[in-house]
Amino acid sequence: MLAFLWRRILSSTVPLLVVVLGVFFLARLTGDPANLYLPLSATPEMRAEFAARNGFDQPVIVQFADYLAQIARLDFGESLRTAQPAAQAVLQAFPATLQLAGTTMLIAIAAAVVIGSLAAYRPNSLADRVAGFLSSTSASVPDFWFAIMCVLVFAVTLNWLPTSGTDGMAAWVLPVATLLIRPFGVLVQVVRGSMVSALSAPYAKVARSKGAGEKRVIFGHALRNAAAPALTVAGDLTVSMINGAVVVETIFGWPGIGKLMIDSILERDFAVLQAAVLLTALTIFALNILIDICYALLDARVRQGVPA
């Protein structure tokens, strides 16, 4: 297992370096921060002093080398807008994203397991067709369109729910519903397909022949063996959910890492943007490694490097 974990960590190093390189150079394509943080009447001397104070007077390659040296010291620079450490701003925003994504995924997994298992229990029944329709529709709806429609209907027209904020359960409904819809649809399809195969497998027939009830066969035998593919897909959806939170947090004003990234781009706050992207990338890589570990625990062929 340690060798497997070491291989996964090494394989994540190059993509992480590419992310660091990409965000550093792409951030500087947004423009000169001096145009935002200095008055229109700023003299060339004021601009030169601003650039020297923030290290923008050096060649880009030198700036990048200094940035790598800072990362090695766990120094991510200071925010141009607030003058506070960039790491502090990111760590303040990240828990809100984790809470939103974690809550959404737990609801999606629980609902998908129940609905997918019920649909698989009687294939081609009315329940199976309804579940198939709901899952296909949910997996196909664009989250940004769904978010706008939710705001229009439930916040503007009916005035039932707030459009932004984090206070109270009502403020969670629209962001969670928007993030939930696609993972729920995909997971229902995966759980249903895996459960159909598991329920028709020999071990399920043996369990029935020994007098096991249907609930025990479904949740005690079939679901356990159908968990591996569902686990992999759930992990991938969690990763994409963290990425997709940028759209949802911007629309609903959720104070998470996604909204912080958008604000940093608009404000050309390079240090905060770089720290936010780096932390998000590290989280995604850590989640991928955790998923691989869980999958390896379920399937010995993965631990040993044997094709599954």
Side-chain angles (χ1 to χ4, degrees):
M1 177 59 75
L2 290 177
F4 170 78
L5 180 60
W6 181 244
R7 289 198 305 269
R8 289 297 293 115
I9 293 175
L10 288 179
S11 65
S12 300
T13 303
V14 174
L16 184 60
L17 291 176
V18 172
V19 169
V20 171
L21 180 69
V23 70
F24 182 87
F25 287 99
L26 290 176
R28 279 146 182 79
L29 296 179
T30 59
D32 186 357
N35 295 331
L36 292 179
Y37 294 96
L38 294 179
L40 294 176
S41 58
T43 63
E45 290 76 15
M46 294 172 61
R47 288 179 172 272
E49 192 274 334
F50 176 85
R53 185 171 67 249
N54 294 283
F56 299 144
D57 59 332
Q58 301 293 326
V60 177
I61 298 299
V62 176
Q63 293 182 41
F64 182 65
D66 292 341
Y67 175 60
L68 292 179
Q70 286 181 327
I71 291 178
R73 300 192 304 268
L74 299 181
D75 178 9
F76 300 96
E78 290 187 351
S79 168
L80 290 175
R81 183 173 60 89
T82 64
Q84 70 173 345
Q88 179 181 339
V90 172
L91 292 176
Q92 288 175 349
F94 204 60
T97 297
L98 292 181
Q99 290 173 1
L100 181 61
T103 302
T104 302
M105 186 51 64
L106 288 176
I107 296 174
I109 292 174
V113 166
V114 173
I115 295 177
S117 299
L118 292 175
Y121 179 58
R122 295 193 183 278
N124 300 318
S125 64
L126 177 61
D128 186 22
R129 292 190 179 95
V130 172
F133 173 77
L134 289 177
S135 62
S136 298
T137 304
S138 299
S140 304
V141 174
D143 53 0
F144 67 89
W145 178 86
F146 185 77
I148 294 172
M149 290 298 102
C150 285
V151 170
L152 179 62
V153 174
F154 296 105
V156 177
T157 304
L158 299 176
N159 198 27
W160 288 355
L161 298 169
T163 58
S164 61
T166 58
D167 297 332
M169 293 297 296
W172 286 69
V173 174
L174 293 183
V176 169
T178 302
L179 275 182
L180 173 71
I181 185 168
R182 184 175 181 275
F184 166 76
V186 174
L187 283 174
V188 167
Q189 295 174 0
V190 173
V191 171
R192 190 261 181 199
S194 299
M195 287 294 291
V196 167
S197 300
L199 287 172
S200 61
Y203 57 80
K205 297 177 181 178
V206 171
R208 290 190 183 98
S209 67
K210 291 182 177 181
E214 286 301 316
K215 288 185 178 179
R216 181 175 178 80
V217 172
I218 293 174
F219 296 103
H221 296 278
L223 186 58
R224 182 187 304 172
N225 288 277
L231 174 65
T232 302
V233 174
D236 292 339
L237 289 172
T238 303
V239 170
S240 64
M241 186 180 294
I242 294 176
N243 289 328
V246 174
V247 175
V248 174
E249 290 178 1
T250 302
I251 293 177
F252 294 108
W254 191 268
I257 197 74
K259 187 175 184 299
L260 180 66
M261 287 183 191
I262 297 298
D263 292 342
S264 299
I265 292 172
L266 296 176
E267 296 164 355
R268 299 174 190 170
D269 200 344
F270 297 158
V272 174
L273 176 61
Q274 291 162 183
V277 173
L278 180 58
L279 179 59
T280 302
L282 287 172
T283 302
I284 290 173
F285 290 138
L287 283 173
N288 282 327
I289 292 174
L290 180 61
I291 294 165
D292 290 339
I293 292 174
C294 294
Y295 197 84
L297 292 174
L298 293 172
D299 191 339
R301 295 172 298 176
V302 178
R303 291 196 300 271
Q304 298 166 2
V306 178

